[in-house]
Amino acid sequence: MNERQLQILRELGELGSVTATAEALLMTPSAVSQQLRLLQRAIPVPLTERDGRRLVLTEAGQALAAAAIEVETALSRARQTIDDFAGLPDARVSMAAFHSAAAAFFPLLLTAGGAGRPRLSFADEDVAQDRFPRLTREYDLVLAHRLEQAPPWPTTVTAVTLMREPLDVALPAGHPLAAKRRLTPRDVAGEPWITVHDGFPVMAVIDALSAAANRRLELVHRINEFTVAADVVAAGGGLALMPRWTTRPHPALVLRPLSGVHARRHVDVLHRPERAARRAVRTVLSELRRAALAIQGRGPAVEGG
Amino acid sequence: MNERQLQILRELGELGSVTATAEALLMTPSAVSQQLRLLQRAIPVPLTERDGRRLVLTEAGQALAAAAIEVETALSRARQTIDDFAGLPDARVSMAAFHSAAAAFFPLLLTAGGAGRPRLSFADEDVAQDRFPRLTREYDLVLAHRLEQAPPWPTTVTAVTLMREPLDVALPAGHPLAAKRRLTPRDVAGEPWITVHDGFPVMAVIDALSAAANRRLELVHRINEFTVAADVVAAGGGLALMPRWTTRPHPALVLRPLSGVHARRHVDVLHRPERAARRAVRTVLSELRRAALAIQGRGPAVEGG
DNA sequence: ATCGACCCTGAAGCATCCCTACACTGTCGC
DNA sequence: GCGACAGTGTAGGGATGCTTCAGGGTCGAT
C-alpha cells in the first residue's frame, strides 16, 4: 500500500470508473487496473466490485479512500512546510466560479491589497450542479451554488458556505406587479418565464413555484447567464429569478422577494481537502469570506425572504 | 518527495547519522545517502548539513521531518481502517518497561479481561534515560521514567505521564531513623548509600540530596534493580531510594518520605506518534492509565512528598 | 604528524517496479 | 446482434532503488 495506489483508489471513488481515473491521473486504464490489483493483493478485504461494466468501490474501499485523503493532506502539508522555509512569494491560487459569483467576487479579490499575497488565476465555469465537485481537481478553489434544500456536496470535497442568497423575481420597472412589495407564487405563475437550463441549480425553485401555484409555468426562454436574462426581462420577454446580491442591478429592472416558496441559494466555496494545506489557499479562503460579507452589505436594499 | 524519502529524513533526524539510519531501516548507508540526495534535488532549501563527519538536519530538515511524522501517521491510519473492516482480533501490541514498572504494570495488564483484547508482548528494558526514546522504534509502547525536573522527552516521541511517583528512603525496620515519620537530607547524608548506576534517572536525586546536605554522600553500592537493592538494604548494606508504589513492599523494610529535596519521578509511556493510529495500541494506552490509578491506590499507606 | 577507525558519498550493476501498447473479454444500448 | 465502451491481462522498455565496492574527509590515539 503506497501513496500512489491510495491516490488511484481515491480518484476511482470520486470518478466512478477506471477510465476516468486514468484520464485524471494522466495514465492508461491498464496501469490503473494493475495498481488496483497490487493494492488489493496487500489487503484482505475487497476494495472494489463490478457494477455492470463499471468498477466501483466497496464500503471498505470508500473507507480507505477517505484515509487516502489524509495521506495526501499530510504530504501537502509537508510541501507547505518547505515552501515556508523557501519563503516563495510566487504562490499561485487557481479559482473557478460560476458567472454571477465570478462577476461579484473576482474584482473584490483583485483589489484586496497586501504585499506578498498569493497571485490569483481566475476562470469562469458555469456547469450543472453535479459537475461542480469535480472542478476541484483542476482548480484550487471552486465557487459553486446550490439551493438550500438540494442535497449537500459529496464528502470528498470540503465545502464552506459563503452566503445564503435570496432569489428574487426580476421584472420590468413598469410591470404591474412591480407595485407590490413581495410576490406570491399565484402572482407570478401566469406570467411567461425565463429560466436556466435543466440541471442548473436555480431550476428547482421554478418547479417549487409551479407546485405552490398548482399550475404549469410557461417557460419561454432558457438562459443561464443572468445578465443576458436581465436584458431579456427588461425587453419584456418575461419574468426571471435573479440572485439578490451577486448580480449588478439592471437600471430598468426591479427585484421583488418571493414568499411561499423556499427561494434561496447557497454560494459555497469547494476544494479538495488537501489543497487547504497550502497557506496561499487558506489566505484566499479567508479573503473570500470577507468579500462575501462585503457583497451582502452593499447589495440593493431589498429585504425579505 | 515520496513517503520513503520522508521516512529516511525522519530517521536521520532522530538517530543523527546516516549509518544509524541505514541500520534502522535495514539498508546500506549508500542507499540512504542517495535517497537523501534525490529528496534534496526536489527541494530548494538545504535539508542536511555536515557536522564533522556526521550528517545532521538543518532547521528546514527538522521541520520536514516533523511533517513526515504526519505522513506516516496518516498511512498508519489507513492501515487501521482496513483492519477495522477485516475485523482482525489478533492485534499484537509490543511493550517494553523498566524493571519496577514492568513488575507493577505487566501483571495488571494481563488480568485486564475482555474479549478480543489486543495480545501483549512484554519485554523488560532497563536503559539509561536518554536511551528510552529510541526503544520506541522496536516496541509499540515503552514505559520510561524520568525525574520531574529532568529535561522533557524529545518531541519526536509522544509521551503521556502515567504517574508522578514519590521516591522514598528505604531503611531496615529496626534502623534508628525508622522512628521518624519523614526524613531530611541532613538525617540521611551520613549514612552509606545504595544507588543506581550513573546515567539512570534516579541518580539526580542523590546529587540533590548531597547538595541539600552540603556534604558528599558515601555511595557504597551501585544496584539498578530495586528488588536487589531492597534485599541489600534489609541486610544492612545502606539506605536506598525506592519508588513508593511500583515496588512490592519488602517485609523487613520501611519507607520514609524525604523532605527538602524534589524526590519524585514520572512514569511515562512513550510511543512514536504513528503507532497510536492502531486501535489496539490506543486500547492498551487506556488500560495503562487505568492500571496506573490502581497502582497508586493500592500502594502502602505512606503519605507525604 | 601519522595511522587507523569511522562516516559519508559516488559509480557500476542488478532486480524490481511502473508504465504503455496491444489484444482480449464482458456489458450496454441501438 | 452488432458496435461502442469499460476493464483486464501480457509483453516489453524505461525508471527506480538497492547493494557492492572504492574513495575521500574527519576524528582520536599514538
Side-chain angles (χ1 to χ4, degrees), chain B residues 9 24 34 52 59 66 98 104 118 125-126 154 162 196 198 235 249 259 280 282:
Chain B
L9 190 78
Q34 290 172 59
E59 203 182 335
F98 56 95
E125 292 272 5
D126 217 2
L162 291 177
V196 295
D198 283 337
S259 49
R282 291 198 302 275

Side-chain angles (χ1 to χ4, degrees), chain A residues 104-170:
Chain A
F105 280 89
F106 288 175
L108 282 180
L109 290 176
L110 275 185
T111 57
R117 280 188 61 249
R119 289 199 273 177
L120 293 165
S121 296
F122 293 135
D124 62 332
E125 292 272 7
D126 218 2
V127 299
Q129 177 143 12
D130 59 345
R131 300 280 307 280
F132 277 118
R134 68 186 56 181
L135 286 177
T136 58
R137 203 164 279 100
E138 264 191 86
Y139 301 99
D140 291 319
L141 297 172
V142 172
L143 288 186
H145 52 152
R146 54 175 272 267
L147 291 179
E148 207 150 55
Q149 62 273 31
W153 303 110
T155 56
T156 51
V157 298
T158 301
V160 177
T161 296
L162 292 176
M163 52 168 74
R164 297 165 65 242
E165 183 178 28
L167 296 168
D168 296 327
V169 177

Side-chain angles (χ1 to χ4, degrees), chain A residues 163-274:
Chain A
M163 52 168 74
R164 297 165 65 242
E165 183 178 28
L167 296 168
D168 296 327
V169 177
L171 57 177
H175 194 285
L177 285 173
K180 305 186 67 169
R181 279 192 64 87
R182 41 178 52 245
L183 302 175
T184 67
R186 301 191 50 167
D187 288 334
V188 299
E191 302 285 325
W193 275 88
I194 304 165
T195 72
V196 294
H197 293 248
D198 283 337
F200 282 74
V202 182
M203 200 57 208
V205 175
I206 298 293
D207 297 335
L209 209 54
S210 175
N214 195 23
R215 163 167 186 181
R216 215 182 143 70
L217 264 62
E218 184 194 1
L219 308 183
V220 192
H221 306 294
R222 312 302 291 255
I223 297 173
N224 271 3
E225 180 58 51
F226 285 121
T227 58
V228 176
D231 284 323
V232 175
V233 172
L239 306 188
L241 286 176
M242 304 271 290
R244 185 175 298 173
W245 298 316
T246 54
T247 48
R248 197 203 321 275
H250 188 290
L253 295 189
V254 296
L255 296 182
R256 292 292 175 262
L258 259 179
S259 50
V261 296
H262 212 72
R264 198 183 272 271
R265 71 170 182 183
H266 281 201
V267 176
D268 297 336
V269 52
L270 310 184
H271 62 87
R272 306 194 109 193
E274 75 273 17

Side-chain angles (χ1 to χ4, degrees), chain B residues 58-86:
Chain B
T58 61
E59 203 182 335
Q62 289 169 20
L64 189 55
I69 295 181
E70 290 188 46
V71 174
E72 277 195 74
T73 302
L75 279 166
S76 285
R77 264 203 279 269
R79 283 184 215 104
Q80 176 62 46
T81 299
I82 64 129
D83 284 351
D84 284 349
F85 272 88

